CSV table of all heavy atoms in Angstrom, one decimal:
chain,number,residue,atom,x,y,z
A,61,THR,N,21.7,8.3,-7.6
A,61,THR,CA,21.3,6.9,-8.0
A,61,THR,C,19.8,6.8,-8.0
A,61,THR,O,19.3,6.0,-8.8
A,61,THR,CB,21.9,5.9,-6.9
A,61,THR,OG1,21.2,5.9,-5.7
A,61,THR,CG2,23.3,6.1,-6.7
A,73,ALA,N,8.0,0.7,-16.2
A,73,ALA,CA,6.6,0.6,-15.8
A,73,ALA,C,5.8,1.5,-16.8
A,73,ALA,O,4.6,1.8,-16.4
A,73,ALA,CB,6.4,1.1,-14.4
A,97,GLN,N,22.2,-1.1,-15.2
A,97,GLN,CA,20.7,-1.2,-15.3
A,97,GLN,C,20.2,-0.6,-16.7
A,97,GLN,O,19.9,-1.4,-17.5
A,97,GLN,CB,20.1,-0.5,-14.1
A,97,GLN,CG,20.8,-0.7,-12.8
A,97,GLN,CD,20.7,-2.1,-12.2
A,97,GLN,OE1,19.8,-2.9,-12.7
A,97,GLN,NE2,21.5,-2.5,-11.3
A,103,TYR,N,18.4,-6.1,-23.1
A,103,TYR,CA,19.2,-7.3,-23.6
A,103,TYR,C,19.1,-8.5,-22.7
A,103,TYR,O,18.8,-9.6,-23.0
A,103,TYR,CB,20.6,-6.9,-23.9
A,103,TYR,CG,21.4,-8.0,-24.6
A,103,TYR,CD1,21.3,-8.3,-26.0
A,103,TYR,CD2,22.2,-8.8,-23.8
A,103,TYR,CE1,22.0,-9.3,-26.5
A,103,TYR,CE2,22.9,-9.9,-24.4
A,103,TYR,CZ,22.8,-10.1,-25.7
A,103,TYR,OH,23.5,-11.2,-26.3
A,108,GLN,N,12.3,-8.4,-23.4
A,108,GLN,CA,10.9,-8.3,-22.8
A,108,GLN,C,10.4,-6.9,-22.6
A,108,GLN,O,9.2,-6.7,-22.4
A,108,GLN,CB,10.8,-9.0,-21.5
A,108,GLN,CG,11.0,-10.5,-21.6
A,108,GLN,CD,10.7,-11.1,-20.2
A,108,GLN,OE1,9.6,-11.1,-19.7
A,108,GLN,NE2,11.8,-11.7,-19.6
A,143,LEU,N,23.3,1.6,-25.0
A,143,LEU,CA,22.9,3.0,-24.9
A,143,LEU,C,23.1,3.7,-26.3
A,143,LEU,O,23.9,3.2,-27.1
A,143,LEU,CB,23.9,3.8,-24.0
A,143,LEU,CG,24.1,3.3,-22.5
A,143,LEU,CD1,25.2,4.0,-21.9
A,143,LEU,CD2,22.7,3.5,-21.8
A,166,ASN,N,14.9,3.3,-27.0
A,166,ASN,CA,16.1,2.9,-26.3
A,166,ASN,C,16.6,4.0,-25.3
A,166,ASN,O,16.2,5.2,-25.5
A,166,ASN,CB,17.2,2.7,-27.4
A,166,ASN,CG,16.9,1.7,-28.4
A,166,ASN,OD1,17.0,0.5,-28.1
A,166,ASN,ND2,16.5,2.1,-29.6
B,103,ALA,N,13.1,-12.2,-15.5
B,103,ALA,CA,12.1,-11.2,-15.4
B,103,ALA,C,10.8,-11.7,-16.1
B,103,ALA,O,11.0,-12.6,-17.0
B,103,ALA,CB,12.6,-9.9,-16.1
B,133,ARG,N,0.4,8.2,-13.0
B,133,ARG,CA,-0.8,7.8,-13.8
B,133,ARG,C,-2.1,7.8,-13.0
B,133,ARG,O,-3.1,7.6,-13.5
B,133,ARG,CB,-0.5,6.4,-14.3
B,133,ARG,CG,0.5,6.3,-15.5
B,133,ARG,CD,0.3,4.9,-16.2
B,133,ARG,NE,0.7,3.8,-15.3
B,133,ARG,CZ,1.9,3.2,-15.4
B,133,ARG,NH1,2.7,3.5,-16.4
B,133,ARG,NH2,2.2,2.2,-14.6
B,155,GLU,N,18.9,6.4,-0.6
B,155,GLU,CA,18.4,7.3,-1.7
B,155,GLU,C,17.0,6.9,-2.0
B,155,GLU,O,16.1,7.7,-2.2
B,155,GLU,CB,19.3,7.3,-2.9
B,155,GLU,CG,20.6,8.0,-2.6
B,155,GLU,CD,21.4,8.5,-3.8
B,155,GLU,OE1,20.9,8.4,-4.9
B,155,GLU,OE2,22.5,9.1,-3.6
B,314,LEU,N,22.9,-13.7,-31.0
B,314,LEU,CA,23.8,-13.0,-30.1
B,314,LEU,C,23.4,-11.5,-29.9
B,314,LEU,O,23.4,-11.0,-28.9
B,314,LEU,CB,25.2,-13.2,-30.6
B,314,LEU,CG,26.3,-12.4,-29.8
B,314,LEU,CD1,26.4,-12.8,-28.4
B,314,LEU,CD2,27.7,-12.6,-30.5
B,319,TYR,N,19.3,-3.4,-29.2
B,319,TYR,CA,18.5,-2.1,-29.4
B,319,TYR,C,17.2,-2.5,-30.0
B,319,TYR,O,17.1,-3.5,-30.7
B,319,TYR,CB,19.3,-1.2,-30.3
B,319,TYR,CG,20.6,-0.6,-29.8
B,319,TYR,CD1,21.8,-1.2,-30.1
B,319,TYR,CD2,20.5,0.5,-29.0
B,319,TYR,CE1,22.9,-0.7,-29.5
B,319,TYR,CE2,21.7,1.0,-28.4
B,319,TYR,CZ,22.9,0.4,-28.7
B,319,TYR,OH,24.0,0.9,-28.1
B,320,VAL,N,16.2,-1.7,-29.6
B,320,VAL,CA,14.9,-1.9,-30.3
B,320,VAL,C,14.9,-0.9,-31.5
B,320,VAL,O,15.4,0.2,-31.4
B,320,VAL,CB,13.7,-1.6,-29.3
B,320,VAL,CG1,13.9,-0.3,-28.6
B,320,VAL,CG2,12.4,-1.7,-30.0
Side-chain angles (χ1 to χ4, degrees):
Chain A
T61 75
Q97 316 293 341
Y103 182 83
Q108 290 186 68
L143 303 171
N166 299 285
Chain B
R133 286 194 293 255
E155 294 200 1
L314 175 63
Y319 291 97
V320 50

